[in-house]
């Protein structure tokens, strides 16, 4: 996904702020997921990796802890 780097050098990804770097301020970066980590990979518009962050929200324990509510209504 494409994200715009704010004045602090960060982007928002799934309601979390991730620091990308001061050199990227005002530019767009592309975020992809390396599932082997899992790790978020941030790349510039030329495809060069500029930063990575652990994808903490995608750990097995967190996914197993998700709760799903049952909705009733039309189409149920």
């Amino acid at each position: 996904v494409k994200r715009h780097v704010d004045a602090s050098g960060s982007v928002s990804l799934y309601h979390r702020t991730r620091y990308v770097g001061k050199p990227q301020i005002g530019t767009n970066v592309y975020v992809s997921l390396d599932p082997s980590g899992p790790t978020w990979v941030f790349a510039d518009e030329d495809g060069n990796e500029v930063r990575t962050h652990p994808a903490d929200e995608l750990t097995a324990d967190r996914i197993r802890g998700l709760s799903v509510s049952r909705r009733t209504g039309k189409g149920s």
Side-chain angles (χ1 to χ4, degrees):
V1 296
K2 183 175 168 181
R3 293 288 187 265
H4 187 77
V5 182
D6 68 16
S8 68
S10 300
V11 297
S12 177
L13 184 65
Y14 293 105
H15 307 290
R16 291 183 174 195
T17 301
R18 304 289 183 156
Y19 182 75
V20 180
K22 287 188 178 186
Q24 283 69 43
I25 291 173
T27 67
N28 292 317
V29 292
Y30 293 87
V31 185
S32 60
L33 178 68
D34 176 356
S36 66
T39 305
W40 295 117
V41 179
F42 298 84
D44 63 17
E45 291 191 321
D46 294 326
N48 301 307
E49 184 180 303
V50 294
R51 178 133 353 224
T52 63
H53 284 281
D56 302 332
E57 57 278 282
L58 298 178
T59 63
D61 286 341
R62 293 201 59 177
I63 291 171
R64 280 191 292 269
L66 291 174
S67 62
V68 178
S69 63
R70 182 181 175 131
R71 292 196 270 173
T72 60
K74 194 174 191 176
S76 307

